[in-house]
Amino acid sequence: MTFQRACDIFAVEPASATCVKLKNTEGQEVKVAVVRDSDGTWHAIGDTCTHGDVPLSEGDIEGTLIECWGHGAQFDLNTGEPTLPATVPVPVYKLKLTGEDVLVDVDQTK
């Protein structure tokens, strides 16, 4: 599959996130957290915490980390790597900006 429009650039302020639902090549829905870190850099990661069924897009962002509000696990926005209590990384998807559109490819991870 190719890049899909996730949202527009005005939908996410620095140090915030939003959840979008995209389809992969098998037609399955994929929940993606489109995130801008504290410096305003864009990221796309799986929206569900791997420690519990909690949306990461509702968590706090500090630097390049997003914190799950459920149990405090943090995930690196560049690698998906977690801190305890989570032990399984979240997927990190390819993202690009085209004009005012944020595009994400849920079939390609970094």
Side-chain angles (χ1 to χ4, degrees), residues 6-7 12 16-18 20 32-46 61 63-66 76-80 91-97 102-104 110:
C7 61
V12 185
S16 66
T18 191
V20 297
V32 176
V34 176
V35 184
R36 288 183 73 187
D37 65 25
S38 297
D39 292 333
T41 304
W42 293 87
H43 305 272
I45 64 170
I61 298 152
T64 59
L65 298 174
I66 190 165
D76 186 292
L77 294 169
N78 294 305
T79 66
V92 177
Y93 301 108
K94 292 188 180 275
L95 176 146
K96 68 179 180 179
L97 303 178
V102 178
L103 307 175
V104 175
K110 288 185 175 180

Side-chain angles (χ1 to χ4, degrees), residues 16-88:
S16 66
T18 191
C19 177
V20 297
K21 296 175 184 175
L22 302 173
K23 299 261 183 183
N24 64 16
T25 53
E26 289 83 35
Q28 299 165 320
E29 183 177 88
V30 178
K31 291 182 182 178
V32 176
V34 176
V35 184
R36 288 183 73 187
D37 65 25
S38 297
D39 292 333
T41 304
W42 293 87
H43 305 272
I45 64 170
D47 188 47
T48 305
C49 177
T50 57
H51 178 256
D53 191 21
V54 176
L56 291 176
S57 57
E58 296 176 9
D60 291 328
I61 298 152
E62 186 173 322
T64 59
L65 298 174
I66 190 165
E67 183 174 279
C68 173
W69 56 266
H71 295 101
Q74 294 181 325
F75 294 85
D76 186 292
L77 294 169
N78 294 305
T79 66
E81 290 297 319
T83 62
L84 293 175
T87 58
V88 177

